[in-house]
C-alpha cells in the first residue's frame, strides 16, 4: 500500500505543484501597487494617477477568467473563486484544493484563519460568504461528477481510438454534473 501511495505522490505531486504555481501566477499578475488592498476584494481597485484622478486597477488574470465563466455557474451558487477552482481541477481534481488555497491567501485580515474559515467568512462587498452549506454541497456534487481528468480522457482516447468519445465524455459528464448540482443547490437552499 505504501508503495502505491509513494507512486501516486511522485506522479501527481509534480502536476499539483506546477498547477499551483500557474494558478498563483495568474492570480498575481498583472502587478498591483503595494498600497492596494487585498487581492480578493470583489470590486475593482482604484488607483490614483499622477494627476490625482482615480482609475480602476485591472483584476488579476485569474479573477478575469473566473468572472467570465461565473455566470454559467452562478445558478449553482458558485462564487468566482469556486468557478476558478472547478476549472483549474480539469487536469486533475486534486488541484481544486490547492487552487482554493492560492485564491484565499494574501488577505492580512484573515491571514491567521484556516482555509475552511476563510471560505465561510462574509465578503466585504456582498456580505455573503463564498461558500454556504448549500453552495458547498452543490460544489462537491459538481466536482464529483464533472468531466474526467486528463489522464482518464487520454485513456478513453487510447482505448476507443477516437477523440469523439473524449468530447462526448467531457460534454455529457459536465452537463449532467451541472444539472444535478443545480438540483442539489435548489433543494439544499430550501432546507438549509
Amino acid at each position: 500500500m505504501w508503495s502505491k501511495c509513494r507512486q501516486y505522490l511522485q506522479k501527481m505531486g509534480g502536476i499539483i505543484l506546477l498547477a499551483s504555481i500557474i494558478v498563483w501566477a495568474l492570480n498575481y499578475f498583472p502587478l498591483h501597487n503595494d498600497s492596494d488592498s487585498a487581492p480578493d476584494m470583489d470590486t475593482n481597485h482604484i488607483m490614483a494617477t499622477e494627476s490625482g484622478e482615480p482609475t480602476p486597477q485591472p483584476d488579476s488574470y485569474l479573477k478575469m477568467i473566473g468572472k467570465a465563466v461565473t455566470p454559467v455557474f452562478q445558478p449553482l451558487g458558485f462564487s468566482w473563486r469556486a468557478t476558478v477552482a472547478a476549472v483549474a481541477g480539469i487536469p486533475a481534481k486534486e488541484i481544486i484544493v490547492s487552487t482554493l488555497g492560492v485564491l484565499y491567501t494574501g488577505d492580512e485580515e484573515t491571514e491567521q484563519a484556516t482555509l475552511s474559515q476563510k471560505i465561510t467568512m462574509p465578503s466585504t462587498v456582498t456580505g455573503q460568504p463564498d461558500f454556504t452549506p448549500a453552495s458547498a454541497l452543490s460544489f462537491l456534487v459538481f466536482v464529483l461528477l464533472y468531466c474526467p481528468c486528463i489522464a482518464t480522457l487520454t485513456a478513453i482516447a487510447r482505448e476507443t481510438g477516437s477523440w469523439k468519445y473524449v468530447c462526448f465524455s467531457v460534454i455529457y459528464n459536465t452537463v449532467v454534473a451541472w444539472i444535478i448540482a443545480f438540483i442539489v443547490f435548489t433543494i439544499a437552499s430550501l432546507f438549509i
Side-chain angles (χ1 to χ4, degrees), residues 37-152:
S37 57
D40 62 327
M41 290 188 60
D42 293 326
T43 59
N44 286 336
H45 302 289
I46 305 296
M47 294 179 3
T49 60
E50 291 178 14
S51 63
E53 295 179 23
T55 60
Q57 179 178 348
D59 292 331
S60 70
Y61 296 126
L62 195 60
K63 191 171 183 179
M64 287 183 232
I65 293 167
K67 285 185 174 183
V69 181
T70 295
V72 174
F73 293 101
Q74 218 162 16
L76 307 179
F78 290 13
S79 66
W80 71 268
R81 289 182 188 93
T83 302
V84 167
V87 170
I90 291 172
K93 304 279 194 280
E94 295 85 355
I95 297 171
I96 293 172
V97 175
S98 65
T99 301
L100 288 172
V102 168
L103 291 173
Y104 283 96
T105 58
D107 188 359
E108 287 93 22
E109 294 177 10
T110 60
E111 195 64 42
Q112 299 301 319
T114 64
L115 180 58
S116 62
Q117 293 168 335
K118 289 178 183 181
I119 65 175
T120 57
M121 287 182 178
S123 168
T124 56
V125 175
T126 63
Q128 299 292 324
D130 284 346
F131 284 94
T132 62
S135 67
L137 190 57
S138 171
F139 183 76
L140 290 174
V141 168
F142 182 79
V143 168
L144 177 69
L145 298 175
Y146 82 124
C147 70
C149 66
I150 298 296
T152 304

Side-chain angles (χ1 to χ4, degrees), residues 75-77 132-135 137 182-192:
L76 307 179
T132 62
S135 67
L137 190 57
F182 177 74
I183 293 168
V184 167
F185 178 71
T186 305
I187 292 172
S189 295
L190 295 174
F191 295 107
I192 298 178

